[in-house]
Amino acid sequence: MEISLHALMNVMHGLLFGGFFLMVAWGGLMALVRSSYEEVPSRLTPGGYRWEHGYWTTAAALGWAAVLSGAYMVYPWYRATPPAGTTDLTTFAKAKLLSDPRTVYWHTIGMEWKEHVAFFAPIAITLVAYLVWRYRGDLRHFPQVRRAATVFATVALFATLVAGFFGAMLDKAAPMQGGRNITFFRSAK
Amino acid sequence: MITPIDAARPRLSNGPAAAAILSAAVGCFTIGLLQLAADISPAVNKALVFYKGSGALSGETTIAIVLWLALWFVLNRVWRLKTVKLGTINVVSMVLLVAGIALTFPPIVDAMK
């Protein structure tokens, strides 16, 4: 069972950080939407508010981990320029996509959109985390604040869906490869 | 019922929320705006390369994040105890968010060149 370093880091960026962020952002959005329909607003114990604060802080941390690992670790490998005369573009994902008219748009639309819009997600979720922490049980007295939090959580989810969809499609069209191979299990044969 | 956690908290205004919402929207819009600028002007593109490996993306997002946090800090200082017109700020913020998303979408950026 073997995987290249670049592929492993890409999995951590997209599946571990991005995937968990998507789940946490969805759960948070549902909690915000639900709270706006409560007939009798719920109150949490101090311990409950600590859990809630921890949930949103984790969401923000996952969001930042996803975009920073993407922008500063995976993206430089993705956009690396192959040396002149290189014919095997396996480890040069961007060059590989641009070399084939059938895959050009995966880069010019997919990656170009994904790399920028993805940054909306952690900014938006950091804002939501702050609002939920700052206003805690009083959020029901500030319906405009709750609405803004819901809109920003929706934007975070949308940005992550765009980034996640194109990330998966890009990795299908030009799988991230390169770096040393990491072996988890080796067959005895 | 008032719990100890509420009793210990000062009376809230909507100012801190307004500061956080508007600054986050400005930060998001800045990403889109800088992407457009980097796409239109090769000189801007080059100036935004803070980290060679990531290209102009590094400068675009670093500037947007610094602007977001700085604006949040300043607005929070000004609005911390105030009640502001949050409805208007929300509308402005939503417009900035939508415009920011639109400016990150490559076909729209290409159409504006």
Side-chain angles (χ1 to χ4, degrees), chain B residues 18-39:
Chain B
I21 291 164
L22 185 59
S23 57
V26 169
C28 289
F29 176 72
T30 305
I31 293 174
L33 193 66
L34 288 176
Q35 187 197 355
L36 176 68
D39 235 44

